[in-house]
């Protein structure tokens, strides 16, 4: 809760309130208790891990003061909850509880505690004691969340967590998608009565669920963890993904040695080539992007064959590109009916064949392609006779044209790394930018993202001070010794702006000059001054290079215009106003383009994807891709190695949309920030989808998004900090791990963003099974009960749990709905 909200709730004695996660009327609320202070110890005197002093009078006095202060901040029920430690305490628990026992005993005998009672309590006991009072009185209702979170005044926004350790954020989402998919797959196979060691599968699947749960710990999903913890989280999630894929493989084709196969997946060196997530784009493990038919199953001399099975748990059919490696040029591809499958790409690589083909998978179902022997399928062409030339590569140029599935996208490179994207009459501009965070001025850290107002204001203080000094000297010379340092030849005798003028035009000119100088000084510092120079200025080094020219210019202007004291003061005050307006209204200019040149594209065309790549900086590249499975989504992918003290953003501009909407998996939620809010206070978490006007951007990992002006969407993709913001981590967060952030830009203005996002974030899985595996679809499940849609399915120890969602548009009675469900 932001400190302003905390003050408001506490001053109105409403720190116990009804919290509705959605602002829509009619939703159920959750009774919430908010701690008035930190959840740790009341004071360091209670830290018995580091002190053995148990002064009863002192400690009881602190508890009494704390209770009297807190009782005014909660509803008038007279109960106060005092937290006594956190997850870093009670190393010496015997000492701590021994002293607390003494305090409780002493409070019952102490005269000042006659109207108060001190006791141990659990959360359940405390809530049970206040429940009757809360039932009898109306509670304050709060709708929505408490974002943005600002724990202290002056730009202390916790927006940095939205971009810290983006690789870990992606890995959590990727592993979660695999585990949830396999969870549904196991349940569907179990409903069909397939023979399998269900208890074994459930045991290992529970391990995978726990690793995903650990990934959503607040130090993992936010990225605010140490390097060692980061490595541990990554290893846990990768192991969970391998194990889950093997579980899905065993569920589709039960085997006698299921336990051995699944146990082998726990080995970090074990590559699961027989299963993969079709959406995986792992920057450091490209092998996860392909299926592989082992040489033991298919070679030129003997090809037993295999079945490639693609499963879909979405309530809509999906087209997906499957990537496969086969060690036989005589193998053929046929579907379940024996009809030849036409690959879109075949290439011979290192005595193997890389094959790519498109599969249309039914809703909540599966589709199979058999990789078989030529002797069994005589009409199907062999792979060696279908080699398709590798993707055609064009030379680098400032333009690129992408074609796929009847969709045409034209890319044009402009100055400052801006890419103009044109498709179907729509124009979207893409640009990579960065914020420079000065480690010596209100530095950003693992949690905090500063809006850089103070850093640029320091430049103004130097600029304004020299401006005032130059004008003061010119005025002193003018009214005193005229012939010393007087600029006779540049004096302007015009009456309205001169010293003798009676018109207010002189003050207006002074104000205009000052405001323009103030705005220019900020924009110059933000966009033109080198980072090293700006760093030196804020530490007092090399200030002469900024101070001397400003001082001389102010002296010349003041002397030439013969300004008196009033107009000089007006000029200085206007400079301050100009700086303030530039920082408040020109927030979009506080970031810099990562390159000032035009990008050069290298274009590759194939029947699978058309791709345009460009190098932005030495450590950052962008890739625009249009693929056959989703031709209506342009994938704008960025591979970033974040430099130290940089916060990297991808900026998209389209139209004049002002309403920022974010999809959290349940509903679209509007976000608005005041025009006076600092940059860091305008970033909001976007777990799945951000929409600004007609611009819809889908993501497969949580990101931070902001809209600083109409039609402008900023996406925070990476950051690395050398400074400490003294929050939970209490150390710098230097992230040298490369991260790939992919933004899916919808090229259709009238598309349903929620339906498209379900497609993006529910990718099919692909498996390699024996050639005669049972791959019948399961699509009948979602229509078994009228007026219901299946939203989740999970296998338990002895049953299958299906979560069903009633259509809101139906007028069927609940009684009839339940009767139909029971019948099904």
């Amino acid at each position: 809760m932001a400190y302003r909200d905390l003050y408001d709730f506490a001053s109105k004695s409403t720190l116990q309130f009804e919290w509705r996660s959605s602002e829509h009327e009619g939703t159920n609320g959750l009774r919430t208790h908010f701690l008035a202070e930190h959840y740790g110890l009341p004071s360091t005197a209670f830290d018995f891990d580091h002190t053995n002093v148990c002064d009863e009078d002192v400690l009881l006095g602190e508890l009494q003061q704390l209770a009297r202060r807190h009782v005014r901040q909660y509803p008038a029920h007279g109960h106060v909850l005092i937290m006594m430690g956190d997850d870093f305490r009670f190393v010496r628990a015997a000492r701590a509880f021994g002293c607390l026992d003494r305090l409780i005993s002493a409070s019952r005998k102490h005269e000042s505690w006659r109207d108060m009672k001190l006791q141990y309590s659990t959360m359940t006991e405390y809530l049970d004691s206040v429940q009757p009072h809360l039932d009898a009185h109306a509670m304050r209702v709060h709708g929505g969340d408490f974002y943005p979170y600002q724990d202290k005044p002056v730009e202390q926004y916790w927006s940095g967590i939205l971009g810290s350790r983006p690789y870990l954020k992606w890995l959590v989402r990727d592993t979660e998608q695999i585990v949830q998919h396999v969870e549904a797959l196991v349940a569907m196979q179990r409903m069909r009565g397939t023979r399998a060691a269900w208890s074994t599968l459930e045991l290992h699947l529970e391990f995978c669920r726990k690793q995903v749960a650990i990934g959503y710990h607040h130090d993992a999903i936010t990225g605010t963890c140490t390097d060692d913890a980061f490595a541990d989280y990554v290893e846990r999630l990768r192991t969970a993904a391998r194990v889950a894929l093997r579980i899905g493989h065993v569920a589709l084709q039960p085997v006698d040695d299921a336990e051995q196969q699944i146990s082998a997946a726990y080995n970090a060196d074990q590559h699961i080539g027989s299963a993969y997530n079709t959406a995986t784009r792992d920057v450091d493990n490209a092998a996860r992007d392909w299926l592989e038919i082992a040489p033991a199953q298919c070679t030129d001399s003997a090809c037993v064959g295999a079945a490639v099975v693609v499963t879909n748990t979405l309530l809509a059919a999906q087209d997906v590109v499957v990537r496969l490696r086969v060690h036989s040029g005589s193998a053929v591809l046929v579907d379940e009916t024996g009809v030849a499958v036409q690959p879109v790409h075949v290439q011979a690589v290192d005595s193997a064949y890389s094959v790519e083909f498109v599969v249309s998978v039914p809703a909540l179902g599966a589709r199979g392609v058999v990789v078989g022997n030529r002797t069994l399928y005589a009409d199907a062409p062999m792979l060696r006779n279908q080699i398709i030339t590798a993707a055609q590569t064009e030379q680098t140029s400032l333009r690129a044209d992408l074609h796929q599935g009847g969709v045409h996208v034209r890319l044009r490179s402009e100055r400052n790394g801006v890419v103009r994207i044109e498709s179907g009459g729509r124009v979207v501009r893409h640009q990579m930018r960065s914020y420079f965070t000065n480690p010596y001025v209100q530095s950003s850290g693992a949690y905090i993202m500063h809006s850089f107002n103070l850093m640029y204001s320091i430049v103004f203080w130097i600029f304004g001070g020299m401006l005032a000094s130059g004008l003061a000297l010119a005025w002193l010379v003018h009214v005193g010794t005229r012939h010393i340092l007087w600029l006779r030849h540049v004096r302007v005798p015009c009456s309205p702006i001169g010293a003798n003028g009676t018109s207010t035009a002189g003050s207006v000119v002074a104000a205009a000059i000052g405001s323009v100088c103030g705005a220019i000084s900020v924009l110059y510092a933000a966009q033109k001054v080198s980072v090293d120079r700006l760093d030196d200025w804020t530490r007092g080094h090399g200030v002469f290079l900024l101070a001397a020219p400003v001082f001389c210019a102010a002296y010349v202007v003041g002397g030439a215009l013969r300004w008196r004291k009033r107009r000089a003061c007006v000029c200085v005050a206007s400079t301050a106003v100009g700086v303030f307006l530039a920082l408040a209204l020109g927030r979009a200019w506080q970031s810099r383009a990562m390159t000032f040149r035009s990008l050069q594209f290298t274009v590759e065309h194939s029947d699978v994807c058309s791709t345009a790549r460009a190098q932005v900086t030495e450590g950052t590249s962008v890739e625009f891709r249009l693929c056959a499975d989703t031709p209506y989504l342009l994938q704008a992918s960025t591979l970033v190695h974040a430099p130290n003290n940089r916060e990297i953003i991808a900026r998209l501009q389209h139209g004049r949309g002002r309403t920022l909407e974010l999809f959290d998996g349940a509903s679209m939620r509007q976000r608005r920030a005041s025009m006076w809010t600092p940059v860091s206070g305008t970033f909001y978490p976007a777990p799945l989808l951000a929409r600004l006007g007609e611009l819809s951007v889908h993501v497969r990992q949580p990101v931070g998004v902001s809209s600083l002006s109409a039609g402008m969407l900023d996406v925070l993709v990476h950051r690395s900090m050398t400074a400490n913001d003294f929050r939970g981590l209490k150390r710098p967060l230097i992230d040298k791990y490369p991260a790939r952030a992919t933004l899916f830009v919808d090229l259709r203005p009238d598309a349903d963003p929620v339906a498209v996002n379900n497609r993006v974030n529910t990718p099919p899985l692909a498996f390699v099974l024996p050639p005669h595996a049972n791959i019948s679809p399961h699509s009948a499940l979602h229509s078994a009960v009228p007026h219901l849609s299946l939203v989740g399915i999970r296998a338990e120890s002895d049953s299958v749990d299906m979560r069903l969602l009633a259509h809101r548009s139906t007028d069927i009675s609940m009684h009839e709905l339940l009767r139909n469900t029971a019948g099904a």
Side-chain angles (χ1 to χ4, degrees):
M1 185 184 293
Y3 76 96
R4 292 188 183 92
D5 294 330
L6 180 59
Y7 175 80
D8 178 64
F9 277 69
S11 62
K12 297 177 181 178
S13 301
T14 54
L15 283 179
Q16 286 174 337
F17 54 92
E18 184 177 340
W19 186 8
R20 296 175 182 173
S21 60
S22 174
E23 292 181 339
H24 300 295
E25 295 183 1
T27 57
N28 295 325
L30 179 69
R31 287 186 174 178
T32 305
H33 175 98
F34 196 90
L35 296 175
E37 296 183 10
H38 190 264
Y39 58 82
L41 298 167
S43 71
T44 56
F46 292 87
D47 187 3
F48 300 109
D49 290 343
H50 299 91
T51 181
N52 57 2
V53 178
C54 184
D55 191 323
E56 297 176 6
D57 293 335
V58 172
L59 296 180
L60 285 175
E62 288 194 25
L63 290 176
Q64 194 173 58
Q65 293 178 5
L66 184 66
R68 294 189 186 281
R69 184 169 68 250
H70 282 193
V71 75
R72 298 191 298 268
Q73 300 175 352
Y74 293 92
H77 46 61
H79 297 269
V80 176
L81 178 68
I82 299 177
M83 305 301 290
M84 199 58 65
D86 52 35
D87 46 350
F88 296 101
R89 297 296 182 267
F90 294 100
V91 176
R92 292 179 169 83
R95 180 194 298 173
F97 284 107
C99 184
L100 293 177
D101 289 341
R102 290 169 54 188
L103 293 180
I104 293 175
S105 178
S107 67
R108 295 171 182 171
K109 305 174 184 178
H110 210 284
E111 184 68 20
S112 62
W113 281 77
R114 287 186 303 174
D115 59 340
M116 301 175 66
K117 180 182 179 182
L118 182 65
Q119 68 178 60
Y120 288 117
S121 175
T122 64
M123 290 298 301
T124 300
E125 292 173 340
Y126 170 77
L127 295 175
D128 288 343
S129 65
V130 303
Q131 189 76 16
H133 178 87
L134 300 180
D135 290 338
H137 298 82
M139 299 181 67
R140 176 173 178 170
V141 177
H142 177 80
D145 54 27
F146 292 96
Y147 219 88
Y149 176 54
Q150 182 184 16
D151 64 343
K152 296 179 182 178
V154 191
E155 302 182 347
Q156 306 290 318
Y157 290 96
W158 287 44
S159 303
I161 58 176
L162 304 179
S164 296
R165 300 199 187 278
Y167 176 78
L168 185 56
K169 289 178 170 61
W170 170 85
L171 189 59
V172 171
R173 175 68 58 79
D174 183 69
T175 306
E176 180 188 37
Q177 290 174 348
I178 294 174
V179 172
Q180 288 185 347
H181 189 118
V182 170
E183 196 174 53
L185 193 61
V186 169
M188 289 189 291
Q189 288 295 97
R190 190 169 182 182
M191 292 180 70
R192 294 173 53 202
T194 306
R195 180 183 60 85
W198 299 116
S199 59
T200 299
L201 300 187
E202 179 61 28
L203 177 65
H204 293 287
L205 196 54
E206 185 64 20
F207 164 82
C208 300
R209 297 188 192 110
K210 290 180 178 179
Q211 307 316 305
V212 173
I214 292 175
Y216 276 106
H217 182 265
H218 64 84
D219 282 342
I221 193 62
T222 62
T224 55
C225 52
T226 64
D227 292 341
D228 292 339
F230 168 76
D232 181 65
Y233 287 137
V234 169
E235 181 58 32
R236 285 176 176 273
L237 292 167
R238 287 176 174 172
T239 302
R242 291 195 305 270
V243 172
L245 288 173
R246 178 58 70 186
I247 291 172
H249 192 276
V250 172
L252 286 172
Q253 187 63 34
V255 292
D256 295 332
D257 58 343
E259 177 65 34
Q260 290 79 359
Q261 289 196 19
I262 297 175
S263 298
Y266 286 87
N267 185 354
D269 298 329
Q270 179 77 11
H271 167 56
I272 307 298
S274 58
Y276 84 115
N277 183 1
T278 58
T280 297
R281 296 290 187 274
D282 196 344
V283 297
D284 67 339
N285 191 358
R288 293 179 61 184
D289 290 355
W290 294 80
L291 287 176
E292 183 173 7
I293 307 295
Q297 293 178 272
C298 194
T299 61
D300 285 335
S301 59
C303 186
V304 177
V308 175
V309 179
V310 185
T311 58
N312 175 24
T313 59
L314 188 65
L315 294 179
Q318 296 195 62
D319 292 335
V320 60
V321 175
V322 179
R323 297 175 294 278
L324 175 69
R325 285 195 179 97
V326 184
H327 296 269
S328 172
S330 60
V332 297
L333 300 179
V334 296
D335 62 16
E336 300 121 307
T337 63
V339 177
V341 173
Q342 179 63 44
V344 293
H345 177 73
V346 180
Q347 184 179 3
V349 179
D350 298 333
S351 71
Y353 290 83
S354 298
V355 184
E356 296 180 71
F357 54 91
V358 179
V359 176
S360 181
V361 192
L364 205 66
R367 184 70 72 206
V369 172
V370 177
V371 181
N373 194 320
R374 178 72 159 73
T375 57
L376 298 177
Y377 306 97
D379 296 334
M382 294 185 294
L383 292 180
R384 66 164 58 96
N385 298 331
Q386 301 184 78
I387 293 181
I388 301 174
T389 306
Q392 300 177 359
T393 303
E394 298 181 1
Q395 298 298 323
T396 57
S397 65
L398 298 177
R399 299 185 177 187
D401 292 293
L402 307 180
H403 304 269
Q404 202 65 241
V407 178
H408 177 212
V409 175
R410 177 174 298 173
L411 306 178
R412 296 293 180 267
S413 181
E414 300 178 353
R415 295 179 55 188
N416 298 330
V418 176
V419 177
R420 178 186 172 96
I421 304 170
E422 302 178 13
S423 178
R426 305 182 70 201
V427 176
V428 179
R429 284 180 168 82
H430 178 281
Q431 184 186 31
M432 297 303 301
R433 301 179 69 88
S434 67
Y435 288 100
F436 163 60
T437 61
N438 195 320
Y440 305 99
V441 179
Q442 201 178 46
S443 57
S444 299
Y447 297 80
I448 304 297
M449 175 186 181
H450 288 292
S451 61
F452 328 109
N453 288 347
L454 180 58
M455 179 173 60
Y456 295 134
S457 296
I458 288 178
V459 178
F460 158 69
W461 293 340
I462 303 171
F463 184 95
M466 292 301 101
L467 181 67
S469 301
L471 294 177
L473 180 60
W475 175 72
L476 289 173
V477 170
H478 176 72
V479 300
T481 54
R482 293 172 176 246
H483 302 291
I484 300 177
L485 298 177
W486 186 238
L487 305 172
R488 293 176 177 270
H489 302 290
V490 296
R491 287 184 293 173
V492 181
C494 181
S495 178
I497 63 174
N500 300 321
T502 58
S503 172
T504 59
S507 298
V508 173
V509 171
I513 292 176
S515 59
V516 171
C517 289
I520 290 177
S521 69
V522 172
L523 295 179
Y524 176 73
Q527 295 295 315
K528 297 300 181 182
V529 179
S530 69
V531 169
D532 293 336
R533 179 65 63 191
L534 190 61
D535 186 29
D536 289 340
W537 283 352
T538 55
R539 289 189 292 163
H541 301 160
V543 176
F544 177 80
L545 296 176
L546 172 64
V550 176
F551 176 85
C552 294
Y555 176 74
V556 170
V557 172
L561 300 180
R562 291 181 290 167
W563 276 347
R564 299 282 185 172
K565 179 171 60 176
R566 185 186 70 177
R567 291 179 185 172
C569 292
V570 169
C571 181
V572 174
S574 299
T575 304
V577 173
V579 169
F580 174 77
L581 293 177
L583 289 174
L585 303 180
R587 297 176 300 179
W589 291 99
Q590 293 186 24
S591 62
R592 296 187 181 188
M594 295 188 67
T595 181
F596 296 103
R597 60 179 177 83
S598 298
L599 301 183
Q600 296 283 333
F601 294 115
T602 300
V603 184
E604 293 182 358
H605 294 292
S606 73
D607 292 335
V608 179
C609 293
S610 295
T611 307
R613 298 182 178 88
Q615 196 73 26
V616 181
T617 62
E618 182 179 354
T620 303
S621 61
V622 295
E623 179 180 284
F624 299 94
R625 176 180 296 177
L626 206 61
C627 292
D629 50 355
T630 54
Y632 49 86
L633 293 177
L634 176 66
Q635 302 178 29
S637 181
T638 306
L639 181 60
V640 183
H641 293 72
N644 286 339
N645 300 315
R646 298 293 192 279
E647 291 172 312
I648 311 300
I649 64 171
R651 174 167 292 176
L652 298 169
Q653 292 179 279
H654 171 71
R656 303 295 298 173
R658 294 182 178 273
T659 302
L660 178 61
E661 297 178 288
L662 305 179
F663 180 60
D664 59 4
S667 61
M668 297 289 290
R669 178 174 174 82
Q670 293 187 2
R671 298 289 192 176
R672 294 186 179 89
S674 168
M675 63 180 296
W676 307 108
T677 304
V679 170
S680 56
T682 65
F683 275 90
Y684 293 92
L688 298 168
L689 160 68
R691 183 168 186 173
L692 185 65
E694 294 183 350
L695 177 63
S696 295
V697 179
H698 307 267
V699 292
R700 281 200 176 115
Q701 67 191 58
V703 295
V705 298
S706 169
S707 179
L708 298 177
S709 64
M712 178 184 295
L713 185 68
D714 286 352
V715 182
L716 181 62
V717 296
H718 207 341
R719 62 198 304 269
S720 179
M721 303 291 114
T722 63
N724 183 6
D725 55 17
F726 298 98
R727 296 312 195 273
L729 187 60
K730 296 182 179 179
R731 67 182 67 183
L733 191 146
I734 302 176
D735 187 3
K736 293 299 183 182
Y737 208 92
R740 182 181 295 278
T742 301
L743 309 179
F744 294 80
V745 183
D746 200 332
L747 302 176
R748 304 167 300 173
D750 56 347
D752 180 5
V754 175
V756 175
N757 191 265
N758 289 335
R759 165 68 176 88
V760 171
N761 280 286
T762 314
L765 299 185
F767 301 87
V768 174
L769 300 176
H772 303 293
N774 188 351
I775 54 176
S776 59
H778 320 282
S779 56
L781 283 175
H782 76 278
S783 58
V785 181
H787 310 289
L788 287 179
S789 290
L790 183 69
V791 296
I793 186 168
R794 171 176 172 175
E796 296 293 347
S797 57
D798 294 317
S799 63
V800 174
D801 171 33
M802 288 194 302
R803 293 182 287 273
L804 300 169
L805 177 66
H807 289 173
R808 295 182 178 180
S809 59
T810 182
D811 56 359
I812 188 174
S813 66
M814 183 58 64
H815 176 73
E816 184 178 357
L817 192 64
L818 293 176
R819 185 178 58 188
N820 292 342
T821 305

